Amino acid sequence: MSSSIYADLFWLPKSPENFSSLCRSVLEDDHGLGRRLQGLAKYALNGNQLGRLAKVLAKARADGMSLAPLTPFRLGVLSNSTLDFIVPALEATALRHGIALECIKADYGQVIQAALSPDSVINRAMPDAVLVAVDLRYLPLQSTLGNQEAAAAAVSGVLQHFQAIREGVRNNSGAISILQTLAPLPESLFGSFDRVLPGAPRQLIDAVNRGLAESVYGTEDVLVDVSAIAETVGLAQWHSPAQWNMAKLPFADELVPLYADYVARTIAALRGKSRRCLVLDLDNTVWGGVIGDDGLEGIKVAQGDAAGEAHLAVQRMALALRERGVVLAVSSKNNDDVARKPFREHPEMLLKEDHIAVFQANWNDKATNIKAIAEELSLGLESFVFLDDNPVERGLVREILPQVAIPELPDDPALFSRTLSAAGYFEAVTFSSEDLKRADYYQDNARRVTLQNQAGDIDAYLASLKMEITFQPFDRTGRSRIAQLINKSNQYNLTTHRYTEAEVAAAETDPRCFTLQVRLADIFGDNGMISVVICRRTDPKVWEIDTWLMSCRVLGRKVQEAVLREILKHAEGNGIEELIGIYKPTDRNQMVEGHYRSLGFEQIGSEPDGSTTWKLLVQEASVVETAMLVRSTGFETVEIGNI
């Protein structure tokens, strides 16, 4: 059961018996087609079903049908293996993650050639990323048994080869590379001594994989750890000698859906689609038993008891996720005081009340509670994962809130945390100090909402926060976080322009650009970087606001007014007379449709797709004041003042 969790994509619902007829009928109406394709991909599909869905996607594209709101992504694929089954699986699986993936294949085995040639099919396509899907059979990695120096040279040569591919892709297409670690073959040469002997195949592969991981860290390129996937399901199951010999398949065809999901979740993470909040059911999920019936002494959540240790593993996983920035919440059908009792009084509980950002224990249905949690945290439902042992509750929430990810769970609670991990909802491609604090940010935000409800008057509430806002131009220190926000922010994002870290770096020194990174602190703590702005000079006296995004955590705190005042101050100092703002609608940013109107801009244009253009005369602008200490630093002069 444990290994089949991965191979069978156990966390996904089983596909319906009429899946084929659903595929045939989905193109009958193009209204909401993107969502319906995504819905079809949310089942545990086998290779044939993924292929069928990929054909539907291809026909929709060929017919010019809209795939909105799916996020388009062009992926070049380089490989030494047969891609005929893998590419359709990638395109169909990406739908599950909200991505309309279009793959461009290089010819079989043309890896380095396609990367280095400026007019290769890959580089001409100008993809968003290139997947370097090679395995150990591609590489000149010869054993150098017992020769440490020769082993180091062999590993270095392979890493240089990968570096040449990455540089070729970057220089010729501007795309990032998605690299893969190498899955070792199950056949050993010396047995366990393979890991000890310098130059033995296993040691060489381990060294290459370490080198690949180290070379990617801190760059824009990302890694799919294929070696870890293969070892999780078992190397003997991963590698099929017969299928390699007959069809040059890099791994067993039955594992194509698993591989495709790992690649797709990585692409989704690149586009900011990873989940951010884990909502926990309590009875028989966080602990064994029903607190309302069994009482504090009767629930199972202690070492020395198999069921208790299984539920502690769930708590341990939740805590680990919180430490890396995932927000925790509770949705339970219980009386509030009863549900909180184990958190407060049970000595074996690992989770405590202060780990939970929002605690919803009542007799409402769980979908209603999850919507309330989303509102309190100012997070979209697409950010949520709901963990519940009860299949009826899972089905109900899945029906009402299809945006929420809800893993199927096995009967044995010992496998709950493993199943949650296998689903990969919280996949990451970067990690920053801001991520470490994110759970606290959202938890503090929930406390602010509580304070606001108590304060009643908005101005009194804002004054009580004692906010301090800091403005800086883009710089090297903030670059990684700026790029992360640009690629992850969806709701409060006026244009949803996506820029790589290299493009952010270019904006730092571009004399035509005025940039802002904005931080906010208050009595509850530091909110970190909460807004990013890029203005481009399109005329000697005009700035066009290319990018304006803001964290939803700080909504309703008049931050946008403070940001506009800062833009106006610098615009005036640079001889700018007009600001031009553009709103480009997506399925996620309707909340900012009236952003420029609320700030006093005049609408001067509109497009059939709903885009609008706005103008503000700098000398005539009037922005409301708010109680906020302002620090403006890193520009030509450092200023501190109040607005």
Side-chain angles (χ1 to χ4, degrees):
M1 175 65 196
S2 184
S3 63
S4 67
I5 287 175
Y6 295 88
D8 297 340
L9 310 180
F10 183 86
W11 59 91
L12 297 171
K14 294 186 183 305
S15 61
E17 293 182 358
N18 63 339
F19 178 79
S20 296
S21 63
L22 291 174
C23 284
R24 285 194 294 272
S25 62
V26 73
L27 296 182
E28 292 175 356
D29 179 7
D30 65 353
H31 180 69
L33 176 61
R35 285 287 186 215
R36 284 183 283 122
L37 288 172
Q38 185 176 13
L40 286 174
K42 287 187 173 180
Y43 299 108
L45 305 178
N46 60 34
N48 291 333
Q49 291 170 318
L50 288 172
R52 185 170 295 115
L53 186 55
K55 288 179 180 176
V56 174
L57 174 64
K59 186 169 190 326
R61 275 204 177 99
D63 293 347
M65 302 175 79
S66 171
L67 298 175
L70 302 175
T71 301
F73 196 98
R74 288 166 66 81
L75 180 71
V77 187
L78 306 174
S79 181
N80 64 313
S81 309
T82 301
L83 296 172
D84 294 349
F85 301 111
I86 293 175
V87 163
L90 287 173
E91 292 181 335
T93 301
L95 295 169
R96 182 180 302 147
H97 298 271
I99 303 288
L101 184 68
E102 181 182 3
C103 290
I104 305 100
K105 295 187 296 182
D107 290 339
Y108 174 83
Q110 299 296 298
V111 178
I112 190 73
Q113 299 91 329
L116 299 183
S117 173
D119 61 352
S120 70
V121 64
I122 296 293
N123 290 323
R124 287 201 313 272
M126 302 298 286
D128 297 293
V130 172
L131 176 65
V132 186
V134 300
D135 68 3
L136 58 88
R137 303 174 185 92
Y138 167 74
L139 299 166
L141 200 59
Q142 298 298 319
S143 298
T144 57
L145 301 178
N147 188 333
Q148 201 154 13
E149 188 175 340
V155 171
S156 176
V158 168
L159 294 177
Q160 288 175 20
H161 188 81
F162 276 113
Q163 188 61 32
I165 294 171
R166 294 164 68 181
E167 290 176 1
V169 167
R170 170 73 70 185
N171 295 336
N172 292 315
S173 72
I176 66 169
S177 291
I178 301 176
L179 304 175
Q180 296 185 170
T181 53
L182 307 175
L185 294 170
E187 293 83 5
S188 68
L189 191 59
F190 293 91
S192 298
F193 195 55
D194 279 351
R195 280 198 190 268
V196 178
L197 183 66
R202 182 58 192 246
Q203 215 206 41
L204 289 174
I205 292 169
D206 287 349
V208 168
N209 287 342
R210 281 196 304 276
L212 278 176
E214 289 167 1
S215 72
V216 164
Y217 184 68
T219 74
E220 288 188 87
D221 294 338
V222 299
L223 189 73
V224 175
D225 195 355
V226 167
S227 175
I229 304 169
E231 292 185 320
T232 298
V233 298
L235 293 176
Q237 186 179 354
W238 180 263
H239 289 288
S240 169
Q243 292 183 352
W244 172 258
N245 294 337
M246 286 192 301
K248 294 298 177 281
L249 290 180
F251 46 83
D253 60 355
E254 67 193 36
L255 296 173
V256 168
L258 177 65
Y259 168 82
D261 197 80
Y262 270 77
V263 174
R265 67 179 66 163
T266 302
I267 293 171
L270 281 168
R271 285 295 181 257
K273 291 181 176 291
S274 295
R275 308 277 168 163
R276 303 182 188 182
C277 179
L278 174 63
V279 181
L280 296 162
D281 167 55
L282 297 180
D283 291 335
N284 289 315
T285 301
V286 166
W287 54 68
V290 178
I291 183 64
D293 295 334
D294 301 323
L296 199 63
E297 301 77 14
I299 62 172
K300 296 178 179 179
V301 60
Q303 296 288 347
D305 174 84
E309 293 193 25
H311 293 285
L312 281 177
V314 174
Q315 296 191 31
R316 197 171 292 112
M317 169 67 76
L319 275 177
L321 289 169
R322 187 185 183 279
E323 287 173 4
R324 52 150 287 196
V326 174
V327 186
L328 301 183
V330 160
S331 174
S332 173
K333 285 184 176 176
N334 262 309
N335 291 330
D336 185 81
D337 59 333
V338 174
R340 290 179 187 268
K341 199 168 185 177
F343 290 86
R344 292 170 174 171
E345 299 179 22
H346 201 297
E348 300 284 348
M349 282 283 290
L350 300 175
L351 283 172
K352 306 297 182 186
E353 269 188 288
D354 59 5
H355 294 136
I356 308 299
V358 183
F359 203 107
Q360 287 281 341
N362 49 47
W363 295 100
N364 293 333
D365 67 84
K366 292 184 178 179
T368 299
N369 278 339
I370 292 171
K371 283 192 284 189
I373 292 168
E375 186 173 337
E376 193 157 346
L377 291 173
S378 299
L379 279 173
L381 289 167
E382 297 83 359
S383 298
F384 283 79
V385 175
F386 178 49
L387 191 73
D388 194 321
D389 71 296
N390 188 328
V392 176
E393 296 285 3
R394 294 198 298 264
L396 182 63
V397 176
R398 195 176 283 132
E399 180 69 24
I400 298 174
L401 304 176
Q403 309 96 318
V404 176
I406 306 168
E408 288 294 288
L409 291 177
D411 294 334
D412 185 354
L415 297 173
F416 284 4
S417 65
R418 179 165 297 178
T419 306
L420 175 63
S421 173
Y425 298 122
F426 306 106
E427 188 79 18
V429 292
T430 61
F431 185 71
S432 68
S433 57
E434 300 267 347
D435 293 316
L436 275 173
K437 300 173 184 173
R438 190 193 304 138
D440 289 331
Y441 291 159
Y442 282 101
Q443 199 150 336
D444 290 343
N445 205 48
R447 293 163 60 198
R448 292 183 189 97
V449 171
T450 302
L451 177 61
Q452 182 175 358
N453 292 336
Q454 293 170 350
D457 176 72
I458 184 65
D459 290 330
Y461 161 67
L462 293 178
S464 72
L465 291 178
K466 301 185 185 307
M467 291 183 285
E468 181 176 316
I469 193 166
T470 301
F471 298 103
Q472 291 176 270
F474 287 5
D475 59 15
R476 185 180 182 83
T477 304
R479 188 183 301 162
S480 176
R481 177 60 177 162
I482 291 167
Q484 189 183 43
L485 282 174
I486 285 175
N487 286 290
K488 291 177 67 173
S489 298
N490 294 302
Q491 296 181 90
Y492 206 111
N493 193 333
L494 274 299
T495 54
T496 321
H497 289 160
R498 306 300 193 189
Y499 294 119
T500 65
E501 198 167 320
E503 290 169 325
V504 170
E508 293 170 16
T509 55
D510 187 338
R512 298 165 301 174
C513 287
F514 168 75
T515 60
L516 283 179
Q517 51 176 316
V518 187
R519 296 175 179 274
L520 186 71
D522 59 34
I523 59 171
F524 290 106
D526 185 359
N527 293 273
M529 191 183 298
I530 49 89
S531 184
V532 168
V533 174
I534 300 174
C535 297
R536 296 188 190 277
R537 190 190 291 266
T538 57
D539 178 277
K541 296 184 182 301
V542 177
W543 275 356
E544 181 176 303
I545 302 174
D546 172 279
T547 296
W548 188 341
L549 61 88
M550 193 169 79
S551 169
C552 292
R553 301 195 311 269
V554 297
L555 284 178
R557 296 167 68 176
K558 299 188 178 179
V559 171
Q560 59 269 42
E561 283 86 352
V563 172
L564 179 58
R565 290 181 74 89
E566 186 71 8
I567 294 172
L568 288 168
K569 182 181 74 175
H570 291 279
E572 190 170 6
N574 283 277
I576 298 299
E577 296 180 357
E578 289 182 8
L579 295 180
I580 299 296
I582 296 172
Y583 165 67
K584 292 186 176 181
T586 70
D587 65 312
R588 306 277 296 275
N589 72 349
Q590 295 92 338
M591 70 184 324
V592 291
E593 184 178 5
H595 170 85
Y596 286 118
R597 181 185 296 107
S598 69
L599 292 174
F601 284 65
E602 174 192 2
Q603 185 172 346
I604 58 173
S606 62
E607 302 294 332
D609 67 354
S611 298
T612 51
T613 305
W614 304 78
K615 181 174 76 174
L616 182 67
L617 298 177
V618 172
Q619 290 297 325
E620 298 179 8
S622 176
V623 186
V624 297
E625 297 186 359
T626 183
M628 194 178 291
L629 178 65
V630 178
R631 296 185 182 276
S632 183
T633 180
F635 302 99
E636 290 187 0
T637 57
V638 177
E639 302 174 13
I640 300 177
N642 285 295
I643 59 173

